[in-house]
Amino acid sequence: MPARFLTSAADAKGFPEDSGAELAVVGRSNSGKSSAINRIVGQTKLARVSKTPGRTQLINFFELGEGRRLVDLPGYGFARVPEEQRQDWRRLTGEYFESRRSLKGLLVTVDIRRGLLDLDQAMLDWAAGLALPVMILLTKSDKLSRAAGATALQALRRDLRDGVTAELFSALDDTGVDRVRSQVEAWIGGSLPK
Ligand SMILES: Nc1nc2c(ncn2[C@@H]2O[C@H](COP(=O)(O)OP(=O)(O)O)[C@@H](O)[C@H]2O)c(=O)[nH]1
Ligand SMILES: [Mg+2]
């Protein structure tokens, strides 16, 4: 079964039934989250890839198979966002993290050229508090040489707590795609669409 769009939610009332298993994807605006989602599910246009980030404050649910979902959380860290929208983000994301029993793991997209910033660290702390396993995708790894990418990955891995892993990732040259897909399958069971 190909992955398909299920629903968008602006609050907890719009979430689909909390059964089965799902993983969530989150990251800074423009960090390559939508591109990663498309690559992971093997479709080019499931999640929109945007050059003007920061607008959507919706949680998008995609179905990957019977009772298995991928959840696209709104991005954070877009500079020109009013305080009101930041609060919306915290409320919506908080309602999601604090209610979803079917949530099995979190992918965090981090642009390899920027590295882990404060808001990424806050997200990792939040996940730690919920005992939620995390895989960090160091995205756009094609922008660095192989050696520079390996160095960045090693440096990041040194500081990670238990339950957090990291991989190089590129939606452009497919670096890391197989590993991420395996992790997703381990979290939610079944096999991903090709
Ligand atoms: N070179 C390169 N560019 C990428 C990659 N992934 C995303 N991008 C570009 O980064 C920008 C933001 O990507 P997008 O997936 O929309 O990020 P999002 O805002 O986090 O969902 C777009 O211009 C993408 O084409 C990648 O793996 N390699
Ligand atoms: Mg996006």
Side-chain angles (χ1 to χ4, degrees):
M1 165 180 152
R4 68 177 185 97
F5 174 75
L6 205 57
T7 190
S8 289
D11 55 40
K13 290 195 292 292
F15 298 168
E17 190 186 301
D18 192 10
S19 62
E22 65 192 27
L23 81 143
V25 192
V26 74
R28 291 182 71 86
S29 297
N30 214 39
S31 63
K33 178 168 60 77
S34 298
S35 305
I37 290 172
N38 287 333
R39 202 59 208 80
I40 290 161
V41 302
Q43 280 176 234
T44 51
K45 279 182 279 198
L46 196 64
R48 259 168 279 158
V49 175
S50 151
K51 296 205 165 158
T52 51
R55 222 151 280 162
T56 35
Q57 293 284 314
L58 289 173
I59 296 183
N60 295 307
F61 294 82
F62 300 98
E63 189 174 44
L64 302 177
E66 183 72 41
R68 294 180 293 121
R69 293 173 302 277
L70 183 151
V71 183
D72 184 6
L73 298 175
Y76 51 79
F78 186 53
R80 284 171 291 144
V81 161
E83 180 54 28
E84 198 179 311
Q85 203 171 323
R86 286 183 220 276
Q87 283 172 15
D88 270 2
W89 185 91
R90 273 191 292 269
R91 175 194 53 77
L92 179 59
T93 312
E95 282 179 10
Y96 175 76
F97 278 135
E98 273 138 46
S99 72
R100 293 302 274 185
R101 306 199 48 187
S102 53
L103 177 61
K104 304 302 181 199
L106 180 67
L107 296 177
V108 179
T109 53
V110 172
D111 187 323
I112 195 167
R113 297 165 302 175
R114 306 193 72 180
L116 269 193
L117 300 174
D118 287 359
L119 291 171
D120 303 310
Q121 195 56 60
M123 181 55 63
L124 296 180
D125 293 345
W126 199 357
L130 297 165
L132 186 64
V134 176
M135 178 181 264
I136 298 171
L137 309 190
L138 281 179
T139 60
K140 313 188 193 182
S141 68
D142 57 277
K143 297 269 194 185
L144 295 189
S145 71
R146 217 169 251 270
T151 303
L153 180 62
Q154 260 178 21
L156 176 68
R157 279 180 172 164
R158 260 198 300 274
D159 295 332
L160 298 179
R161 67 166 174 89
D162 287 352
V164 184
T165 61
E167 295 291 345
L168 297 176
F169 188 87
S170 167
L172 213 71
D173 68 13
D174 280 1
T175 299
V177 170
D178 290 343
R179 283 179 194 190
V180 177
R181 285 171 54 93
S182 299
Q183 177 64 84
V184 169
E185 289 170 346
W187 277 337
I188 66 171
S191 52
L192 283 170
K194 280 266 162 55

